[in-house]
Amino acid sequence: MPPVAEQQVQHDNAPSLAQKHSFRKAVETVVEQLRRGENDSEAHQKLRDYAGNAHGQGSNRLSTLPSFEAPSNTGVIYVSDRASKKGYKQGALDWGNFGQGAPEVGHIDGAIDRPLTINAELDHFEYAPVAGTRPLREAVANLYNVQYREGKPSQYTYENVCIVPGGRAGLTRIAAAIGDANVGFFLPDYTAYEQLLSIFKRFVPIPTPLDRATAHNILPDFLEREVSSRGLGVVWKSNPANPTGQLVQGKELQEWINIGKKHRATLVLDEFYSRYIYPDDENDFGKTVSAAEFVDNVDMDPVVIVDGLTKSWRLPGWRVCWIVGPKEFISAMTSAGSFLDGGTNHVLQAAAVPLLEPKRVFNDTVALQKHFKKKRDYVLQKLKELKLHAEDPPNATFYLWLDLQGLPEPINNGMGFFEAALDEKVIVVPGIFFDINPGHRRELFDSPYHHHVRLSYGPTLEELKRGLEGLERMLVKHGYIQKS
């Protein structure tokens, strides 16, 4: 299996090297057990047989169309397909969907309700500019300036913003513009990165597994060593992190940017969960995190930010997102969009402008954080009662990263747990889908994340309760707990 990265600089209470070694040996033991038992595991065989997952050159070729092959699937697509085969339908009132990668979209206390009707004007029937409409680009730039750049001489303008039709489209435009470079990314991370880092062949994706012993954190000294020793020209990272919910902020985030400038490495930061921050102090509600706060020169610093209405505005169906960065880079994003996606929906761009008014955004963020913090705390407490272990309880996002090693077979690994949960009408996402493996260069069963699943507390509280009841039934059925 790939070596687990060690960080030289540790917090005072960080585990010893002996503890790290013990942890790695435990992971290796689990992986070896999984490898030996794969042929006996129906759950793993289903995954192996799924379109696009065959191993070896030419093994995914389509039999009906010469020269075409099935692309590898994202974990969420596989999970959704398996759930649908078990009878799940979107909006089903008898399922608990912990696999949901989106927030609930209905009313939450304290937030301003979003518009349910949209007025279109005649020019909205025309194509919008590939870079986005100027009013929306100006609104995005203004929001970043108000929230993160007050008093700074360098300010974002509409020329620093490109509107894109969804987060994946934005990330795809970025990937399309990367030249001959080593692109560093960290494990575990967002499942869709695997395809993004696979389809463009000019750059070389280089993974770095993070160490459980350091809570999956990336300390600045460790990052600098990775950048300098591996010759990274791009560092690609979600912050806050999906699936672990960990967060880089403050001085450490500023040091990340300084490292990028020092070593001429561009930081591509996926900040879609930047408003899902859960402070302990009541006075800190409404505060958010973005690298934009620590950029010195908006047109020179090698920092690219991706965000949008999908998560923090709870409008995933709108597919209105943005890229923020130096003007020259935004021009390149426009060129990439002209042949990749053609641009973003014109009507919804117009409807999005008033939603970005800074005071409104702040008030909605306070409501969002209070609401989701209550859900996080509720789910964590219930998981504790079910004797399920959430690693490093998150201070951001709406995800929990569960360690299953103490459970009985076959639910002590992500795929077995996932299939057993489906039988109780509960959806989770197996941990191996967050082991980003571009081009399937590494063997599936060398992953250190087989004994994990990701749970989302994005859905409504009522749905979360159904999901927890289903997990309880499953754990009772497998003799792990007794019925309460």
Side-chain angles (χ1 to χ4, degrees):
M1 62 180 290
V4 179
E6 293 186 3
Q7 300 187 26
Q8 293 179 339
V9 180
Q10 300 182 8
H11 297 297
D12 291 340
N13 62 348
S16 66
L17 289 176
Q19 290 172 312
K20 288 185 177 183
H21 178 72
S22 176
F23 169 75
R24 285 198 293 270
K25 292 297 293 182
V27 171
E28 290 169 0
T29 299
V30 171
V31 172
E32 182 58 31
Q33 290 172 345
L34 286 162
R35 185 187 295 279
R36 289 199 303 268
E38 178 188 353
N39 291 333
D40 300 323
S41 170
E42 183 180 355
H44 289 90
Q45 289 302 313
K46 284 186 173 72
L47 177 63
R48 287 284 197 189
D49 293 340
Y50 197 76
N53 286 350
H55 191 70
Q57 187 175 6
S59 54
N60 288 319
R61 286 289 177 88
L62 299 180
S63 59
T64 53
L65 295 178
S67 301
F68 281 81
E69 62 183 30
S72 62
N73 61 86
T74 65
V76 174
I77 294 297
Y78 179 79
V79 165
S80 299
D81 190 48
R82 289 290 305 138
S84 67
K85 284 180 169 56
K86 291 281 188 174
Y88 172 75
K89 295 181 180 179
Q90 188 170 6
L93 297 180
D94 55 344
W95 281 72
N97 185 5
F98 284 122
Q100 180 173 310
E104 58 180 290
V105 299
H107 173 80
I108 62 176
D109 291 342
I112 301 172
D113 287 334
R114 280 74 50 79
L116 296 180
T117 60
I118 295 172
N119 294 321
E121 298 180 7
L122 184 61
D123 70 325
H124 294 164
F125 297 116
E126 302 283 355
Y127 286 127
V130 177
T133 64
R134 180 161 176 170
L136 183 55
R137 295 169 73 188
E138 288 175 338
V140 172
N142 178 63
L143 181 63
Y144 277 82
N145 290 335
V146 169
Q147 291 196 320
Y148 306 115
R149 306 198 59 75
E150 186 175 355
K152 297 180 185 292
S154 180
Q155 298 281 300
Y156 288 118
T157 73
Y158 78 94
E159 294 178 286
N160 296 108
V161 179
C162 183
I163 308 301
V164 292
R168 287 181 181 87
L171 295 168
T172 302
R173 287 196 195 188
I174 293 170
I178 297 175
D180 298 321
N182 289 341
V183 177
F185 61 99
F186 298 88
L187 306 174
D189 214 324
Y190 176 41
T191 61
Y193 291 169
E194 180 168 306
Q195 286 70 29
L196 289 170
L197 296 172
S198 298
I199 59 177
F200 298 102
K201 305 301 184 183
R202 290 188 64 187
F203 59 80
V204 180
I206 299 179
T208 296
L210 297 178
D211 197 331
R212 168 64 185 87
T214 53
H216 299 105
N217 288 321
I218 306 171
L219 299 178
D221 279 22
F222 173 63
L223 176 65
E224 183 163 21
R225 190 169 73 248
E226 288 294 296
V227 170
S228 60
S229 64
R230 298 178 186 269
L232 302 182
V234 177
V235 174
W236 193 296
K237 184 74 178 73
S238 63
N239 184 50
N242 173 8
T244 62
Q246 301 308 304
L247 171 67
V248 179
Q249 59 183 326
K251 183 180 178 181
E252 287 190 352
L253 184 54
Q254 185 173 28
E255 290 185 47
W256 276 34
I257 294 174
N258 292 337
I259 290 167
K261 290 193 290 186
K262 176 182 177 181
H263 295 280
R264 297 179 59 80
T266 298
L267 302 182
V268 176
L269 298 176
D270 175 344
E271 294 188 346
F272 272 91
Y273 300 94
S274 59
R275 299 181 190 279
Y276 289 88
I277 312 296
Y278 308 117
D280 294 323
D281 189 335
E282 181 80 14
N283 295 322
D284 289 335
F285 280 108
K287 292 184 178 179
T288 59
V289 171
S290 176
E293 180 179 358
F294 304 108
V295 168
D296 290 325
N297 188 316
V298 300
D299 289 319
M300 296 299 296
D301 287 5
V303 176
V304 175
I305 296 166
V306 190
D307 199 353
L309 301 185
T310 304
K311 301 297 192 295
S312 295
W313 280 258
R314 299 186 299 115
L315 291 168
W318 281 30
R319 294 288 187 188
V320 175
C321 300
W322 51 78
I323 302 169
V324 176
K327 292 177 184 177
E328 182 182 36
F329 182 79
I330 296 303
S331 178
M333 292 299 92
T334 304
S335 297
S338 68
F339 67 83
L340 283 172
D341 55 62
T344 308
N345 181 292
H346 201 156
V347 177
L348 293 178
Q349 288 190 68
V353 173
L355 304 184
L356 272 67
E357 193 278 318
K359 185 175 180 180
R360 173 178 179 148
V361 171
F362 177 81
N363 291 335
D364 280 353
T365 300
V366 171
L368 179 90
Q369 292 174 346
K370 290 182 176 180
H371 182 76
F372 275 77
K373 183 179 182 183
K374 287 180 181 178
K375 291 199 296 180
R376 180 201 65 174
D377 294 346
Y378 174 82
V379 174
L380 282 173
Q381 178 58 38
K382 292 298 181 180
L383 292 176
K384 183 178 180 181
E385 294 172 7
L386 297 178
K387 299 181 181 180
L388 291 175
H389 174 60
E391 278 191 3
D392 309 309
N395 50 19
T397 74
F398 44 77
Y399 299 122
L400 299 169
W401 189 233
L402 293 191
D403 184 348
L404 309 174
Q405 290 186 82
L407 276 62
E409 294 185 357
I411 61 171
N412 62 344
N413 67 80
M415 291 304 302
F417 190 99
F418 162 68
E419 290 288 345
L422 288 180
D423 291 336
E424 301 300 330
K425 298 187 175 182
V426 180
I427 304 172
V428 300
V429 182
I432 56 173
F433 293 134
F434 302 93
D435 184 6
I436 310 304
N437 185 14
H440 291 180
R441 293 177 177 87
R442 287 182 288 109
E443 165 58 32
L444 176 68
F445 277 81
D446 285 336
S447 171
Y449 307 117
H450 276 283
H451 53 283
H452 287 84
V453 292
R454 188 196 75 178
L455 267 61
S456 165
Y457 51 96
T460 63
L461 184 59
E462 291 73 21
E463 186 167 354
L464 296 177
K465 290 178 179 178
R466 290 199 301 269
L468 290 164
E469 290 168 357
L471 291 182
E472 182 178 12
R473 292 193 301 271
M474 180 190 74
L475 295 173
V476 170
K477 183 183 294 186
H478 286 83
Y480 182 63
I481 62 172
Q482 294 183 344
K483 185 174 178 60
S484 60

